[in-house]
Amino acid sequence: MVSFPVSEDTNQLSDSFRQFGVDEQLAILWFVYKKMGSSITIAAPGSAESAISGGLYNQVKDKSQEEQLQIQRDLLNGVSNEMTREYGSLRANSKLAFWYFLAQGMDEGVIIPFPEDYTLSDTADQWITSLENEEFQQQITILRTIVDRSGAAPASGASI
């Protein structure tokens, strides 16, 4: 993987993402997908673990909508359970692909849909604008950092 220098703005945007509540974090990820979805695919596909992130996505897809939402919340909150530990074992690009799959699933109606009447807070909207003002590679680095920090660490031994 090619490494790009990380600017102070990049670090600040990655860190400041956590200032938002979990549902607003989900909303931000959704709005970013809607604005940048096709660009994200350039950064995430072909990952050696795409079958694994796709398999994890399929596990989520098979759950009820309430469970799907809770899994996403658990991932962003770092709750430790089998699904979040499995996610935690993925590489950063595979995690990015997983969130992309979730957003596609929302578009397709197989993942709990985003509320149509949801409005981002001004602060969240400003965060997205700041992300958009970054160079493309920095945008991907920020998103990759955010999703890589999500989930839980895999358990040692035979348990995931």
Side-chain angles (χ1 to χ4, degrees), residues 79-137:
V79 172
S80 181
N81 58 44
E82 185 176 347
M83 184 92 41
T84 61
R85 290 188 303 270
E86 195 173 325
Y87 171 91
S89 70
L90 299 175
R91 291 192 175 116
N93 277 349
S94 295
K95 291 176 181 179
L96 190 60
F98 172 78
W99 284 99
Y100 179 76
F101 295 153
L102 285 175
Q104 281 186 315
M106 292 170 77
D107 268 349
E108 296 164 3
V110 296
I111 299 294
I112 186 169
F114 193 79
E116 290 182 28
D117 61 344
Y118 187 89
T119 335
L120 285 172
S121 69
D122 288 343
T123 308
D125 200 40
Q126 290 168 0
W127 189 94
I128 290 174
T129 299
S130 295
L131 177 69
E132 291 174 322
N133 288 333
E134 291 287 326
E135 295 291 326
F136 172 74
Q137 289 301 332

Side-chain angles (χ1 to χ4, degrees), residues 25-52:
Q25 289 177 21
L26 288 171
I28 289 169
L29 290 173
W30 170 250
F31 279 96
V32 167
Y33 162 75
K34 292 309 280 181
K35 289 184 175 189
M36 297 179 55
S38 60
S39 301
I40 293 170
T41 59
I42 295 167
S47 154
E49 297 178 8
S50 62
I52 295 171

